[in-house]
Amino acid sequence: MEVIPAIDLLDGQCVRLYQGDYQRSEVFGENPVEMARRWEGEGATRLHLVDLDGAKQGKPANHSAIASIVKAVSIPVQVGGGLRDRAGIAQLLNLGVQRAIVGTIAVENSELVGQLCQEFPGQIVVGIDARNGQVATRGWLETSQVSAIELAQKMEDIGAAAIIYTDIHRDGTLAGPNLEALRELSRAIALPIVASGGVSSLTDLLSLLALESQGVCGAIVGRALYTGDIDLAEAVRAVGQGRWQDVPPDSGFSTFA
């Protein structure tokens, strides 16, 4: 299972929001490039960037920081936030971003998403951000009448590469992932699913392994990395390729050894 560090960009800084609330943000670093290099150095195989300014404004707003990160690391980068038209998505992909994450337009313009999936095969990922099972849009500022499962099934039909599922009530709270919702979603679709929101410990990551056979292939981790509740190198060793279940850990490497 892939452990994917999140770098949330707001005014060019690394921040974390609490349950998507822009008024409850906490700055964890003023240099996103330095943070990206740190996570790569600790074993990340992919980075998850969120343009929070873009999500709120409806158009990408942190191009400079994103471009600098892509140039600074050798691992794949995926980006979401404010991607609501072809031009914005094409511009990001031209920067070297591997995967573009769409959310609002998946609800409001599924025809466009279908066209993008055909034009950029394997590069369009749908972020489904759910509040009480319903999909939130426009930077989580609005809640639609579309259910998460209904949207996921529709996106699978039109060719999305993967689904990133975020439980908004757990995002930034360290309350643990919503295993029940992830299990229900995995039963409804065959697409790869990346879990996001609430991952607070190695125990949470290990609990997600039970869903790996059902298609949950990764977990995005944010606040817990920045607070030190999760050590990335240890997390990769625990659930990544060659994990503890497959290769005995070196004595003394971890509290779990």
Side-chain angles (χ1 to χ4, degrees):
M1 178 171 292
E2 199 169 29
V3 182
I4 308 172
I7 298 178
D8 291 1
L9 301 167
L10 186 64
D11 297 327
Q13 298 179 313
C14 300
V15 308
R16 293 300 297 165
L17 305 184
Y18 183 87
Q19 295 184 344
D21 188 344
Y22 282 77
Q23 302 303 313
R24 301 175 72 181
S25 66
E26 184 176 354
V27 176
F28 282 101
E30 297 182 356
N31 189 332
V33 172
E34 182 179 292
M35 195 66 69
R37 285 176 173 152
R38 172 185 171 183
W39 298 139
E40 181 181 32
E42 292 186 16
T45 54
R46 183 185 307 275
L47 294 176
H48 176 78
L49 309 186
V50 181
D51 185 344
L52 291 173
D53 298 290
K56 194 172 185 179
Q57 297 170 19
K59 58 183 179 180
N62 280 284
H63 267 118
S64 177
I66 293 168
S68 295
I69 289 172
V70 170
K71 290 179 182 178
V73 300
S74 59
I75 57 177
V77 174
Q78 61 188 31
V79 178
L83 299 179
R84 298 176 194 170
D85 58 38
R86 183 199 174 279
I89 290 167
Q91 186 177 17
L92 264 189
L93 296 177
N94 287 335
L95 288 178
V97 170
Q98 186 197 53
R99 304 198 302 191
I101 304 163
V102 299
T104 297
I105 61 170
V107 176
E108 299 181 356
N109 194 345
S110 60
E111 183 178 347
L112 173 59
V113 176
Q115 293 169 1
L116 291 167
C117 290
Q118 291 186 21
E119 184 177 358
F120 305 108
Q123 292 187 282
I124 304 300
V125 172
V126 176
I128 297 183
D129 306 324
R131 184 182 283 119
N132 298 323
Q134 302 301 114
V135 179
T137 62
R138 299 188 174 274
W140 298 357
L141 300 176
E142 299 179 13
T143 302
S144 73
Q145 296 303 307
V146 180
S147 77
I149 288 179
E150 177 187 350
L151 181 61
Q153 291 172 329
K154 188 172 186 177
M155 293 301 104
E156 180 175 35
D157 289 341
I158 64 177
I163 298 294
I164 296 175
Y165 178 83
T166 303
D167 186 310
I168 293 174
H169 285 309
R170 296 178 184 239
D171 188 71
T173 67
L174 303 180
N178 189 333
L179 297 175
E180 182 179 348
L182 287 165
R183 187 175 292 108
E184 187 178 1
L185 180 62
S186 69
R187 288 171 177 163
I189 61 173
L191 283 179
I193 299 169
V194 176
S196 177
V199 176
S200 64
S201 65
L202 283 179
T203 300
D204 288 339
L205 289 172
L206 290 167
S207 72
L208 288 169
L209 283 179
L211 302 179
E212 187 180 25
S213 62
Q214 298 176 45
V216 178
C217 62
I220 293 169
V221 185
R223 180 175 292 274
L225 288 177
Y226 293 93
T227 60
D229 288 286
I230 291 179
D231 177 274
L232 180 59
E234 189 175 41
V236 170
R237 190 175 178 86
V239 301
Q241 190 172 16
R243 58 183 179 250
W244 291 336
Q245 291 92 327
D246 305 319
V247 180
D250 295 334
S251 177
F253 179 85
S254 158
T255 54
F256 279 70

